[in-house]
Amino acid sequence: MSQRLQQRPEKSDEPLLRVENLTKHFPVNTGFISSLRWSSDGRFPLELDSQSVRAVDGVSFDLYPGETLGVVGESGCGKSTLARTLLGLTDLTDGAVEFRGTRTTTFDGDAKHEFRRNAQMVFQDPQSSLNPRRKIGNIIADPLEAAGWNEERRRERVLELLGQVGLKEEHYGRYPHEFSGGQRQRINLARALSINPDLVIADEPVSGLDMSVQAQILSLMQDLQEEYGLTYLFITHDLSVIRNVADRVAVMYLGDFVETGPVDRLFTEPHHPYTRALLDSVPNPDPDTRGVESRLVGDVPSPSDPPSGCKFHTRCPALIVPDPFTREEYREYMELRSDVCNETLQTDTDPASVRSHYFTSSLPAAVDQTVERAISHASDGDWDDAQSTLAEYLSPCEAHIPKLESVADGQLSACHIDSDDREAFSW
Ligand code: SF4
């Protein structure tokens, strides 16, 4: 289980939201027949194969009243699924979510209704979350109507909210298409705040908006937080967006938190190589340093088949390589091993050509012999032997799952480079 995200503001001792080892897996829809495993003679089905997409894979954190926790990561890392699972919009697979000390899965009837009122979500695409055929006054009033407010009170409240989000009374009777992207996000905020929630989960609330409008919406969200005493979970793919709004940040990769900490520390002393790579990807407004290339290459691997050990190892610029490799050589070696595992290695050419296809320079003698033996096994169709031959060299990053461990006051990182057990690995 991951270590809890600890640092918190001193406003309150009790978390508003407590999340313990939250897991959300989706079954892979391969069809009933193809999901069966069969007896060795192929005649009897034995059991269902439990392949799944591990969208959220054991996340723990506390969120305290009045604070803003930023969750950052590339698209496909599980951020939006985390948000939906926290609010009960999708069922959790394992773990627990507590709101004010009570498990949300125990809520029913009035308690469920109250939780829905108290925890609101603001979505990424303000256009698609607003019904184009309804006037915005009615859209904002929906939660109030559901809460039993009469028409006069609803109208009064909506007009008040329009003013608070920087819109005018005359906008009450207009339709969503009459507004800009930034104005539509203001309408979404007004709707989310209409019945005074305690928690707002904002999923990419400013992506797709231009920089100046982003700044206006972020500033508005901060003003509203102060006015209403809101607690925010702010989800984004862009670290620079949360620099000025979050108290703490959790960096997410393939369903796990890989680094967490106070926002200032994360920006000035990032520990995890993924956090550093994300920071390198933030455009630098300084023309003298513009053009520095991001060290983050390749795509996020599929959560239905995540890499072994540290899930970031297939892309990590700091990958720990075993002796006697250089990092470049070991990347090439991993590529060869991947093709052997997938049985996609081309074996119809001579071994020297196979070797030069993968390696740009000559290898240390011991590695060269291993590669030669593996290619020979693969050429004979002995893929298992080829695989076990190449398993002679393995990075600790591929073999061991790093745990979130404290690296500084309130800052946790899941990387073998930070581990106290570093000496236990033979690299
Ligand atoms: S454990 Fe290894 S692969 Fe993972 S982030 Fe650390 S150095 Fe990179």
Side-chain angles (χ1 to χ4, degrees):
M1 192 198 314
S2 54
Q3 193 172 336
R4 181 168 295 282
L5 177 51
Q6 292 166 331
Q7 174 85 11
R8 61 180 172 78
E10 291 166 4
K11 292 176 185 168
S12 165
D13 288 327
E14 291 304 317
L16 180 67
L17 193 72
R18 166 158 283 186
V19 179
E20 189 74 53
N21 200 27
L22 183 67
T23 303
K24 176 64 190 178
H25 292 176
F26 294 98
V28 175
N29 189 5
T30 54
F32 179 71
I33 296 296
S34 57
S35 66
L36 288 174
R37 289 181 51 216
W38 298 83
S39 59
S40 54
D41 60 4
R43 293 170 61 198
F44 305 108
L46 295 175
E47 59 186 77
L48 278 170
D49 193 3
S50 59
Q51 198 186 4
S52 60
V53 175
R54 294 154 70 171
V56 180
D57 213 10
V59 162
S60 301
F61 66 93
D62 290 338
L63 184 58
Y64 288 84
E67 75 163 328
T68 300
L69 172 66
V71 176
V72 69
E74 293 162 283
S75 67
C77 75
K79 309 181 299 289
S80 295
T81 305
L82 171 66
R84 296 181 65 79
T85 312
L86 290 175
L87 290 183
L89 302 176
T90 181
D91 290 339
L92 52 83
T93 306
D94 201 1
V97 178
E98 287 179 12
F99 187 76
R100 295 194 195 290
T102 307
R103 279 194 178 212
T104 55
T105 45
T106 66
F107 291 155
D108 57 9
D110 285 352
K112 196 171 204 167
H113 187 72
E114 186 63 10
F115 175 60
R116 293 252 157 93
R117 187 190 76 72
N118 266 315
Q120 294 285 319
M121 187 148 177
V122 173
F123 292 95
Q124 170 178 357
D125 183 356
Q127 169 76 21
S128 66
S129 54
L130 299 175
N131 185 334
R133 284 186 287 277
R134 301 188 64 220
K135 293 176 179 169
I136 63 140
N138 296 331
I139 292 173
I140 296 170
D142 275 346
L144 300 168
E145 192 174 359
W149 290 39
N150 67 32
E151 195 177 340
E152 193 185 342
R153 281 184 71 210
R154 290 202 302 266
R155 185 175 174 84
E156 215 172 281
R157 174 71 176 139
V158 170
L159 291 176
E160 180 190 25
L161 284 160
L162 285 174
Q164 284 171 336
V165 299
L167 295 173
K168 299 190 177 119
E169 285 193 15
E170 69 213 48
H171 290 139
Y172 187 99
R174 295 199 187 158
Y175 291 91
H177 74 269
E178 298 178 69
F179 295 89
S180 67
Q183 286 176 317
R184 283 195 289 263
Q185 199 53 291
R186 290 172 189 268
I187 296 167
N188 266 326
L189 283 167
R191 179 173 57 180
L193 299 183
S194 60
I195 41 179
N196 290 323
D198 293 321
L199 170 66
V200 172
I201 297 185
D203 187 2
E204 302 274 11
V206 295
S207 77
L209 303 176
D210 69 43
M211 293 287 271
S212 62
V213 181
Q214 277 190 12
Q216 290 166 16
I217 296 292
L218 294 175
S219 160
L220 171 63
M221 287 181 73
Q222 285 180 297
D223 291 346
L224 294 170
Q225 181 172 38
E226 219 157 276
E227 186 162 347
Y228 285 90
L230 294 169
T231 304
Y232 284 139
L233 186 79
F234 194 110
I235 290 172
T236 178
H237 67 282
D238 184 353
L239 255 179
S240 61
V241 162
I242 49 174
R243 181 160 202 171
N244 296 318
V245 297
D247 299 299
R248 292 181 296 150
V249 180
V251 180
M252 195 167 183
Y253 189 76
L254 268 185
D256 293 326
F257 284 174
V258 296
E259 182 162 8
T260 62
V263 68
D264 289 345
R265 278 206 63 87
L266 225 98
F267 275 87
T268 53
E269 304 266 349
H271 273 254
H272 198 280
Y274 181 56
T275 312
R276 290 183 195 178
L278 283 181
L279 282 169
D280 283 350
S281 310
V282 173
N284 194 330
D286 178 353
D288 294 336
T289 56
R290 213 176 279 167
V292 174
E293 268 193 33
S294 165
R295 286 182 293 161
L296 198 50
V297 291
D299 296 324
V300 180
S302 166
S304 64
D305 186 20
S308 63
C310 172
K311 290 178 184 172
F312 187 51
H313 84 247
T314 53
R315 305 169 74 200
C316 181
L319 177 83
I320 299 160
V321 297
D323 267 348
F325 289 91
T326 63
R327 187 163 289 121
E328 178 62 26
E329 285 167 353
Y330 194 64
R331 284 274 172 221
E332 294 168 346
Y333 187 86
M334 286 168 71
E335 201 177 316
L336 169 71
R337 203 174 50 206
S338 165
D339 285 352
V340 166
C341 289
N342 296 325
E343 302 186 11
T344 52
L345 184 80
Q346 298 297 319
T347 54
D348 50 1
T349 50
D350 65 285
S353 303
V354 177
R355 206 150 64 235
S356 61
H357 174 77
Y358 288 92
F359 298 100
T360 47
S361 56
S362 58
L363 294 166
V367 177
D368 202 43
Q369 285 168 17
T370 301
V371 167
E372 196 174 318
R373 279 204 313 279
I375 293 173
S376 166
H377 286 310
S379 301
D380 295 342
D382 296 334
W383 293 102
D384 288 348
D385 286 347
Q387 268 187 54
S388 53
T389 302
L390 290 174
E392 182 179 341
Y393 297 102
L394 204 60
S395 161
C397 301
E398 299 167 276
H400 303 275
I401 300 171
K403 292 193 175 75
L404 272 177
E405 291 179 16
S406 178
V407 290
D409 190 22
Q411 187 176 9
L412 308 172
S413 172
C415 173
H416 293 313
I417 290 175
D418 291 314
S419 169
D420 289 341
D421 300 331
R422 183 178 170 140
E423 298 310 318
F425 298 109
S426 53
W427 64 77

PDB file of all heavy atoms in Angstrom, residues 272-273 310 312-313 316 318-320 397 402 415-417, ligand 1:
ATOM      1  N   HIS A 272      11.304  12.730  -8.157  1.00  0.00           N
ATOM      2  CA  HIS A 272      11.037  11.619  -9.071  1.00  0.00           C
ATOM      3  C   HIS A 272      11.386  12.007 -10.517  1.00  0.00           C
ATOM      4  O   HIS A 272      11.064  13.111 -10.963  1.00  0.00           O
ATOM      5  CB  HIS A 272       9.558  11.234  -8.977  1.00  0.00           C
ATOM      6  CG  HIS A 272       9.276   9.881  -9.527  1.00  0.00           C
ATOM      7  ND1 HIS A 272       9.140   9.639 -10.887  1.00  0.00           N
ATOM      8  CD2 HIS A 272       9.132   8.677  -8.921  1.00  0.00           C
ATOM      9  CE1 HIS A 272       8.900   8.360 -11.066  1.00  0.00           C
ATOM     10  NE2 HIS A 272       8.901   7.742  -9.904  1.00  0.00           N
ATOM     11  N   PRO A 273      12.038  11.108 -11.258  1.00  0.00           N
ATOM     12  CA  PRO A 273      12.385  11.433 -12.644  1.00  0.00           C
ATOM     13  C   PRO A 273      11.173  11.812 -13.501  1.00  0.00           C
ATOM     14  O   PRO A 273      11.300  12.635 -14.412  1.00  0.00           O
ATOM     15  CB  PRO A 273      13.031  10.133 -13.160  1.00  0.00           C
ATOM     16  CG  PRO A 273      13.619   9.517 -11.939  1.00  0.00           C
ATOM     17  CD  PRO A 273      12.651   9.825 -10.832  1.00  0.00           C
ATOM     18  N   CYS A 310       9.011  -0.733 -11.604  1.00  0.00           N
ATOM     19  CA  CYS A 310       8.574   0.654 -11.687  1.00  0.00           C
ATOM     20  C   CYS A 310       7.889   0.850 -13.032  1.00  0.00           C
ATOM     21  O   CYS A 310       8.488   0.635 -14.087  1.00  0.00           O
ATOM     22  CB  CYS A 310       9.783   1.592 -11.571  1.00  0.00           C
ATOM     23  SG  CYS A 310       9.359   3.315 -11.907  1.00  0.00           S
ATOM     24  N   PHE A 312       7.309   3.330 -14.682  1.00  0.00           N
ATOM     25  CA  PHE A 312       7.895   4.384 -15.516  1.00  0.00           C
ATOM     26  C   PHE A 312       9.189   3.914 -16.189  1.00  0.00           C
ATOM     27  O   PHE A 312       9.780   4.657 -16.967  1.00  0.00           O
ATOM     28  CB  PHE A 312       8.152   5.618 -14.637  1.00  0.00           C
ATOM     29  CG  PHE A 312       8.605   6.842 -15.384  1.00  0.00           C
ATOM     30  CD1 PHE A 312       7.915   7.313 -16.493  1.00  0.00           C
ATOM     31  CD2 PHE A 312       9.725   7.545 -14.967  1.00  0.00           C
ATOM     32  CE1 PHE A 312       8.337   8.444 -17.176  1.00  0.00           C
ATOM     33  CE2 PHE A 312      10.153   8.678 -15.643  1.00  0.00           C
ATOM     34  CZ  PHE A 312       9.460   9.128 -16.745  1.00  0.00           C
ATOM     35  N   HIS A 313       9.603   2.657 -15.951  1.00  0.00           N
ATOM     36  CA  HIS A 313      10.957   2.290 -16.382  1.00  0.00           C
ATOM     37  C   HIS A 313      11.133   2.290 -17.898  1.00  0.00           C
ATOM     38  O   HIS A 313      12.235   2.474 -18.403  1.00  0.00           O
ATOM     39  CB  HIS A 313      11.394   0.941 -15.763  1.00  0.00           C
ATOM     40  CG  HIS A 313      10.939  -0.284 -16.490  1.00  0.00           C
ATOM     41  ND1 HIS A 313      10.029  -1.178 -15.969  1.00  0.00           N
ATOM     42  CD2 HIS A 313      11.285  -0.798 -17.697  1.00  0.00           C
ATOM     43  CE1 HIS A 313       9.823  -2.166 -16.823  1.00  0.00           C
ATOM     44  NE2 HIS A 313      10.575  -1.952 -17.873  1.00  0.00           N
ATOM     45  N   CYS A 316      11.950   6.082 -18.483  1.00  0.00           N
ATOM     46  CA  CYS A 316      12.682   6.867 -17.481  1.00  0.00           C
ATOM     47  C   CYS A 316      14.083   7.271 -17.964  1.00  0.00           C
ATOM     48  O   CYS A 316      14.897   6.406 -18.301  1.00  0.00           O
ATOM     49  CB  CYS A 316      12.803   6.061 -16.186  1.00  0.00           C
ATOM     50  SG  CYS A 316      13.681   6.988 -14.907  1.00  0.00           S
ATOM     51  N   ALA A 318      16.362   8.294 -16.126  1.00  0.00           N
ATOM     52  CA  ALA A 318      17.334   7.990 -15.066  1.00  0.00           C
ATOM     53  C   ALA A 318      17.391   6.493 -14.761  1.00  0.00           C
ATOM     54  O   ALA A 318      17.950   6.093 -13.743  1.00  0.00           O
ATOM     55  CB  ALA A 318      16.956   8.748 -13.800  1.00  0.00           C
ATOM     56  N   LEU A 319      16.803   5.674 -15.639  1.00  0.00           N
ATOM     57  CA  LEU A 319      16.769   4.219 -15.414  1.00  0.00           C
ATOM     58  C   LEU A 319      18.110   3.695 -14.883  1.00  0.00           C
ATOM     59  O   LEU A 319      19.169   4.011 -15.434  1.00  0.00           O
ATOM     60  CB  LEU A 319      16.446   3.524 -16.743  1.00  0.00           C
ATOM     61  CG  LEU A 319      16.447   2.006 -16.729  1.00  0.00           C
ATOM     62  CD1 LEU A 319      15.107   1.495 -16.216  1.00  0.00           C
ATOM     63  CD2 LEU A 319      16.709   1.458 -18.135  1.00  0.00           C
ATOM     64  N   ILE A 320      18.047   2.899 -13.834  1.00  0.00           N
ATOM     65  CA  ILE A 320      19.271   2.325 -13.264  1.00  0.00           C
ATOM     66  C   ILE A 320      19.665   1.120 -14.124  1.00  0.00           C
ATOM     67  O   ILE A 320      18.874   0.185 -14.267  1.00  0.00           O
ATOM     68  CB  ILE A 320      19.024   1.885 -11.812  1.00  0.00           C
ATOM     69  CG1 ILE A 320      18.617   3.093 -10.958  1.00  0.00           C
ATOM     70  CG2 ILE A 320      20.257   1.200 -11.234  1.00  0.00           C
ATOM     71  CD1 ILE A 320      17.905   2.724  -9.676  1.00  0.00           C
ATOM     72  N   CYS A 397      14.985  -1.444 -11.587  1.00  0.00           N
ATOM     73  CA  CYS A 397      13.758  -0.700 -11.909  1.00  0.00           C
ATOM     74  C   CYS A 397      12.727  -1.608 -12.573  1.00  0.00           C
ATOM     75  O   CYS A 397      11.528  -1.364 -12.471  1.00  0.00           O
ATOM     76  CB  CYS A 397      14.072   0.468 -12.844  1.00  0.00           C
ATOM     77  SG  CYS A 397      15.254   1.628 -12.155  1.00  0.00           S
ATOM     78  N   PRO A 402       8.919   0.265  -6.720  1.00  0.00           N
ATOM     79  CA  PRO A 402       9.310   1.244  -5.681  1.00  0.00           C
ATOM     80  C   PRO A 402       8.096   1.716  -4.887  1.00  0.00           C
ATOM     81  O   PRO A 402       7.008   1.859  -5.446  1.00  0.00           O
ATOM     82  CB  PRO A 402       9.925   2.395  -6.491  1.00  0.00           C
ATOM     83  CG  PRO A 402       9.319   2.290  -7.844  1.00  0.00           C
ATOM     84  CD  PRO A 402       8.924   0.853  -8.074  1.00  0.00           C
ATOM     85  N   CYS A 415      10.809   5.957  -6.000  1.00  0.00           N
ATOM     86  CA  CYS A 415      11.885   5.736  -6.969  1.00  0.00           C
ATOM     87  C   CYS A 415      13.028   5.047  -6.256  1.00  0.00           C
ATOM     88  O   CYS A 415      13.385   5.429  -5.149  1.00  0.00           O
ATOM     89  CB  CYS A 415      12.349   7.068  -7.556  1.00  0.00           C
ATOM     90  SG  CYS A 415      13.805   6.918  -8.600  1.00  0.00           S
ATOM     91  N   HIS A 416      13.624   4.040  -6.886  1.00  0.00           N
ATOM     92  CA  HIS A 416      14.726   3.315  -6.245  1.00  0.00           C
ATOM     93  C   HIS A 416      15.928   4.213  -5.977  1.00  0.00           C
ATOM     94  O   HIS A 416      16.718   3.951  -5.091  1.00  0.00           O
ATOM     95  CB  HIS A 416      15.154   2.122  -7.097  1.00  0.00           C
ATOM     96  CG  HIS A 416      14.098   1.065  -7.185  1.00  0.00           C
ATOM     97  ND1 HIS A 416      13.428   0.604  -6.089  1.00  0.00           N
ATOM     98  CD2 HIS A 416      13.590   0.400  -8.249  1.00  0.00           C
ATOM     99  CE1 HIS A 416      12.552  -0.315  -6.454  1.00  0.00           C
ATOM    100  NE2 HIS A 416      12.627  -0.451  -7.764  1.00  0.00           N
ATOM    101  N   ILE A 417      16.036   5.286  -6.734  1.00  0.00           N
ATOM    102  CA  ILE A 417      17.168   6.192  -6.517  1.00  0.00           C
ATOM    103  C   ILE A 417      17.089   6.833  -5.131  1.00  0.00           C
ATOM    104  O   ILE A 417      18.083   7.128  -4.505  1.00  0.00           O
ATOM    105  CB  ILE A 417      17.210   7.275  -7.616  1.00  0.00           C
ATOM    106  CG1 ILE A 417      17.611   6.635  -8.937  1.00  0.00           C
ATOM    107  CG2 ILE A 417      18.187   8.387  -7.266  1.00  0.00           C
ATOM    108  CD1 ILE A 417      17.567   7.567 -10.111  1.00  0.00           C
TER     109      ILE A 417
HETATM  110  S1  SF4 B   1      12.666   3.440 -10.051  1.00  0.00           S
HETATM  111 FE1  SF4 B   1      14.063   3.450 -11.795  1.00  0.00          FE
HETATM  112  S2  SF4 B   1      12.737   3.623 -13.595  1.00  0.00           S
HETATM  113 FE2  SF4 B   1      11.512   4.202 -11.819  1.00  0.00          FE
HETATM  114  S3  SF4 B   1      11.707   6.388 -11.717  1.00  0.00           S
HETATM  115 FE3  SF4 B   1      13.294   5.555 -10.391  1.00  0.00          FE
HETATM  116  S4  SF4 B   1      15.116   5.404 -11.672  1.00  0.00           S
HETATM  117 FE4  SF4 B   1      13.356   5.692 -13.035  1.00  0.00          FE
END
